Amino acid sequence: MQIRVLGCSGSIAAGNRTTSFLLDHDVLIDAGTGVGDLTLDELARIDQIFISHSHLDHVLAIGLLADSVARRRVALGRPPIGVHALAATLDALRTHVFNGVIWPDFSRLPDARNPVLKFVPISVGQRLELGARQVEVLPAAHTVPAVGFALRAAPAADAPAWVYSGDTGPNPALWERLAQMRVATLVIETAFGDEEIELARISRHLSPALLGAELARFKQPADVFITHIKPGELDVVMAEIGRLDTPHRIRQLAAGQVMRVG
């Protein structure tokens, strides 16, 4: 199982693309601006999209992707692309994005019987089988309903997992679940430096000090990769993280990085 990092920045600037991961060749985990680096052929192979929450930096590419591949998928008789998210997230997409004002409703286009997108509600704790792969929905604690995901190359309970926290502040429920699984890689956000720790708390994100407190709950030494740092703040945030007293191997995530599990 291969995960390619398409984007992992907290916002945009030259060289910065917002959150999206490509699982093998056919599944997106979040759909930020990094999706735009895929070729048209690569976009056309995507059959499933898993969305952590409704914020723009994680959903922006869904509608653009649908528009790019609509004619090709319809001509080939391909089924709709499944968009998997919490019911509240899907409601937000229908109301605020796919409403005919901000963007056409591709869950009803080119017609209601043969749409490009199909909205599929998911819930925390759910495990979805994608062939030999499994996606588990994890709890997140953000300003809107949100989740993270654990990906496994096999459905076996003890198969190593690639874990993505999603956007989250302090989240005891996440560590309770991770204590019960074998974690190969943890991708976790740290959006702000400690100088802005109060902003991190208000916006339900992490800073290095908050990250340190969270990782102290995680007793399984693991490879930890930091995502969602704001443009221009990378050096400051990673320097502060480097001073944490932790057994985990912590590095920054980078667009273009390829990670393998299983």
Side-chain angles (χ1 to χ4, degrees):
M1 186 175 75
Q2 175 180 288
I3 297 103
R4 175 178 160 193
V5 183
L6 303 178
C8 55
S9 177
S11 194
I12 62 167
N16 292 267
R17 295 160 179 80
T18 66
T19 304
S20 189
F21 306 94
L22 180 64
L23 169 59
D24 294 329
H25 64 277
D26 58 337
V27 179
L28 286 178
I29 307 296
D30 275 339
T33 62
V35 174
D37 286 341
L38 296 176
T39 67
L40 183 58
D41 284 343
E42 288 173 320
L43 292 173
R45 294 189 191 107
I46 293 167
D47 289 324
Q48 313 289 340
I49 305 173
F50 287 82
I51 298 297
S52 64
H53 65 294
S54 60
H55 283 162
L56 190 62
D57 55 326
H58 296 256
V59 306
L60 179 65
I62 302 173
L64 296 171
L65 183 156
D67 189 33
S68 292
V69 304
R71 288 151 293 282
R72 182 176 297 198
R73 292 186 73 92
V74 170
L76 294 174
R78 297 278 296 278
I81 299 167
V83 179
H84 305 261
L86 293 174
T89 302
L90 296 178
D91 286 345
L93 290 175
R94 290 189 186 97
T95 302
H96 302 295
V97 179
F98 296 100
N99 56 12
V101 177
I102 300 300
W103 202 247
D105 183 1
F106 279 96
S107 70
R108 299 183 61 82
L109 292 172
D111 61 69
R113 293 173 56 187
N114 300 287
V116 180
L117 302 177
K118 178 182 179 181
F119 294 138
V120 183
I122 58 176
S123 57
V124 172
Q126 187 174 353
R127 299 179 188 180
L128 300 96
E129 308 299 332
L130 302 176
R133 303 161 299 180
Q134 183 186 87
V135 179
E136 179 177 343
V137 186
L138 301 174
H142 199 36
T143 54
V144 294
V147 297
F149 299 104
L151 311 182
R152 298 181 182 86
D158 62 347
W162 179 91
V163 174
Y164 163 52
S165 71
D167 283 14
T168 190
N171 184 13
L174 174 64
W175 309 112
E176 291 173 10
R177 177 65 189 109
L178 295 192
Q180 302 166 4
M181 70 171 64
R182 184 176 160 206
V183 177
T185 303
L186 171 62
V187 174
I188 188 167
E189 70 119 277
T190 307
F192 298 101
D194 282 332
E195 184 178 76
E196 296 182 297
I197 191 170
E198 291 308 315
L199 178 57
R201 288 193 174 103
I202 292 167
S203 59
R204 306 292 295 272
H205 283 289
L206 295 176
S207 73
L210 297 173
L211 172 71
E214 291 297 284
L215 290 179
R217 300 173 181 264
F218 187 36
K219 305 305 181 183
Q220 182 185 155
D223 288 315
V224 177
F225 289 88
I226 305 302
T227 188
H228 211 277
I229 302 173
K230 300 296 183 183
E233 301 298 318
L234 181 63
D235 291 344
V236 170
V237 169
M238 291 308 302
E240 291 176 342
I241 289 174
R243 293 193 283 271
L244 295 176
D245 182 12
T246 174
H248 305 293
R249 299 172 294 276
I250 306 179
R251 286 160 281 178
Q252 72 183 68
L253 199 63
Q257 187 171 345
V258 174
M259 313 169 91
R260 292 177 174 83
V261 179

